[in-house]
Amino acid sequence: MTAGSQYPTLIPLGGQALLVRFGTSLDDAANRRAIDFARLAALADLPGVLEIVPNLVSVLLRFEATVIDFDWLAGEVRLLLSARLETHIPTPVEHAIGVVFDGPDLAELAAGVGLTEAQFIDSHNAQPLRVLATGFAPGFVYLGFHPAELVVPRRTAVRPMVPAGTVLFAAGQTAITATAIPTGWNVIGHTDFANFDASKTPPTLMRAGDSVRFEALS
Amino acid sequence: MSAAIEILRAGPLVTVQDAGRFGMLAHGISASGPMDRAAFVTAGRALPIAGAAIEFTRAGLSFRFAGDPVQVVLAGGAFELKLNGHHHDWPEIIALSSGDLIDITPGSFGNYGYLRFSQEFDLPPILGSRSTNTITGLGGFYGRSLQVGDRLSLVDGSRFAVETLTPGSRDGGSIRVTWGLHADHFSGDIRQLFLDREMTISTRLNRMGVRLDGGGAVFGGASILSLVSDSIVPGDIQILGDGTPIVLMRDHQPTGGYPRIATIIAADLDRFAQLRPGTAVRFKSVAPACVLKLGSRG
């Protein structure tokens, strides 16, 4: 039995938020269940719920404590969890993202997994990835999962700042920055795709659960 | 009606804040909003229509007002206030005339004070809010702290009504917490130490977080692992790898991977935000079900 197939844990965060946790480590099943539950909860119009935020393996429900309390909301959540999820979930949106694979860590990464740079890029782009989570920084997306032979750890040194549109790689995942941030991930390329525009509502294009296919640009 | 203020002196981290930019966590933006929400709300209640606030820090602020008359409410903490060189009480409501000079200097307690005018700042809402988010550089005055020479226009005038203001609470006493997302990662002994030992507010504090000194005696024996990243809420107390506790505040990162032992309840987070460096803090655990009865603002 994997962590993702166990009954989720309902945890209070302070007095105004409930976390539905599907696992305590990142795995595919827990991530899928979190994303599916977030989509279902968004359609359910739960009383007093102000905001629904999917994470890697959990979903945050921020609630108005003068309208509903934790125990009442927990009951509503348990009812939702017992519903048949697959009948409610819309088909994921698909995105095609062009990437210039010119990152400073690409050569070392490819060599580390026994591939040429071209082979690494082909393997990286072979399968569409799923948006595992958003929310770490404006427009930032975690995408996964790559097959086991491509899994490498993060760098030991943190780069103080990488620009928006940097394509990152570590821990079996690819990530795309949409603002300048510091990162300990490997830098493998860059994209013109911009997943954050503060002048638009909503300000981001990708949602957890969306499908992303990468194309190598020269 | 037209009016404006010009900043003549500003301490660090003086920002424009309204109630907050809610609903943007999934897009990677925490809500921001006033560090002391109660003081912000108190200031607003004194006016029939109140705009976003200027949140200033311990060093205070000076500005000159120009234009058609407006009212301004000054509240939060305890600061020294002068209008054209003459001392005024704190908190205070003042009718400003063109040319008036307001000078706010450090007072006896608190880290944050608020100015709210009977008009709104002529600044565009970004994603539904005028709050400045210091971590992303969004909102407020071009996404940044106010500096000497900045000029903020006021628009949408309204009539004035005056209420009595009560000074902010300086109540000491423990800060109440609920056990956090990762409380079970800490042994019972460490959780007890966390409640028993006094810690102090360090000098490393800003809108994102407040580091506590004295955490080594509590968490020295704990092994702090990096965890799968999960939602953060304001008031979360996360323990860094070296055992330093940091209380995450209004401009927190939306998600984080350090263990969080407890969360300061909303009713006590305003009071906590006002505690100055060097102040001793003791935490007291309460059940989540009690939190509503203890007040739910924030």
Side-chain angles (χ1 to χ4, degrees), chain B residues 36 39 56-60 74-81 87-91 104-114 167-170 274 276:
Chain B
D36 183 345
F56 48 89
T57 50
R58 249 186 310 156
L74 305 101
F79 287 81
E80 295 294 321
L81 170 63
H87 179 81
H88 279 246
D89 288 339
W90 189 274
I104 302 161
T105 49
S108 58
F109 104 99
N111 295 314
Y112 300 97
Y114 296 87
S169 166
R170 301 182 56 168
Q274 293 286 19
R276 290 181 170 177

Side-chain angles (χ1 to χ4, degrees), chain B residues 141-200:
Chain B
F141 190 84
Y142 303 104
R144 65 165 171 81
S145 301
L146 297 179
Q147 297 164 4
V148 172
D150 287 345
R151 189 174 179 282
L152 287 84
S153 295
L154 293 159
V155 293
D156 297 332
S158 61
R159 294 295 94 201
F160 315 136
V162 175
E163 290 176 21
T164 307
L165 290 180
T166 49
S169 166
R170 301 182 56 168
D171 172 31
S174 48
I175 297 286
R176 292 164 296 182
V177 299
T178 56
W179 290 116
L181 179 57
H182 308 112
D184 59 351
H185 287 244
F186 299 91
S187 69
D189 288 348
I190 287 176
R191 292 203 302 272
Q192 193 59 48
L193 273 176
F194 171 76
L195 299 178
D196 290 345
R197 290 292 176 97
E198 246 177 28
M199 289 183 272
T200 51

Side-chain angles (χ1 to χ4, degrees), chain B residues 129-148:
Chain B
S129 167
R130 290 184 174 85
S131 281
T132 314
N133 183 299
T134 60
I135 193 170
T136 61
L138 281 175
F141 190 84
Y142 303 104
R144 65 165 171 81
S145 301
L146 297 179
Q147 297 164 4
V148 172

Side-chain angles (χ1 to χ4, degrees), chain B residues 18-275:
Chain B
D18 61 13
R21 184 176 291 102
F22 292 99
M24 291 290 148
L25 288 171
H27 303 288
I29 304 165
S30 53
S32 302
M35 292 290 279
D36 183 345
R37 290 183 60 82
F40 168 86
V41 169
T42 299
R45 280 193 186 132
L47 298 167
I49 296 176
I54 291 177
E55 177 183 271
F56 48 89
T57 50
R58 249 186 310 156
L61 183 76
S62 292
F63 68 90
R64 189 177 295 282
F65 174 78
D68 298 317
V70 301
Q71 281 203 321
V72 63
V73 183
L74 305 101
F79 287 81
E80 295 294 321
L81 170 63
K82 284 180 178 171
L83 168 64
N84 301 324
H86 299 289
H87 179 81
H88 279 246
D89 288 339
W90 189 274
E92 182 66 296
I93 304 171
I94 292 174
L96 289 174
S97 304
S98 198
D100 280 349
L101 178 70
I102 292 277
D103 190 35
I104 302 161
T105 49
S108 58
F109 104 99
N111 295 314
Y112 300 97
Y114 296 87
L115 287 174
R116 295 186 76 177
F117 295 88
S118 54
Q119 297 193 2
E120 184 56 274
F121 294 118
D122 186 16
L123 297 170
I126 303 294
L127 298 170
S129 167
R130 290 184 174 85
S131 281
T132 314
N133 183 299
T134 60
I135 193 170
T136 61
L138 281 175
F141 190 84
Y142 303 104
R144 65 165 171 81
S145 301
L146 297 179
Q147 297 164 4
V148 172
D150 287 345
R151 189 174 179 282
L152 287 84
S153 295
L154 293 159
V155 293
D156 297 332
S158 61
R159 294 295 94 201
F160 315 136
V162 175
E163 290 176 21
T164 307
L165 290 180
T166 49
S169 166
R170 301 182 56 168
D171 172 31
S174 48
I175 297 286
R176 292 164 296 182
V177 299
T178 56
W179 290 116
L181 179 57
H182 308 112
D184 59 351
H185 287 244
F186 299 91
S187 69
D189 288 348
I190 287 176
R191 292 203 302 272
Q192 193 59 48
L193 273 176
F194 171 76
L195 299 178
D196 290 345
R197 290 292 176 97
E198 246 177 28
M199 289 183 272
T200 51
I201 306 288
S202 81
T203 54
R204 299 173 73 182
L205 78 175
N206 59 25
R207 289 187 47 82
M208 297 177 215
V210 177
R211 283 174 194 246
L212 302 178
D213 287 332
V218 177
F219 297 105
S223 68
I224 305 298
L225 301 171
S226 185
L227 306 165
V228 62
S229 83
D230 228 320
S231 284
I232 287 169
V233 297
D236 271 354
I237 305 172
Q238 79 175 9
I239 312 303
L240 301 181
D242 65 358
T244 301
I246 174 165
V247 182
L248 300 164
M249 302 299 283
R250 301 288 177 193
D251 287 359
H252 62 87
Q253 278 207 323
T255 65
Y258 285 109
R260 283 166 262 151
I261 188 170
T263 304
I264 296 177
I265 70 170
D268 284 1
L269 191 57
D270 294 328
R271 183 159 61 89
F272 177 80
Q274 293 286 19
L275 299 178

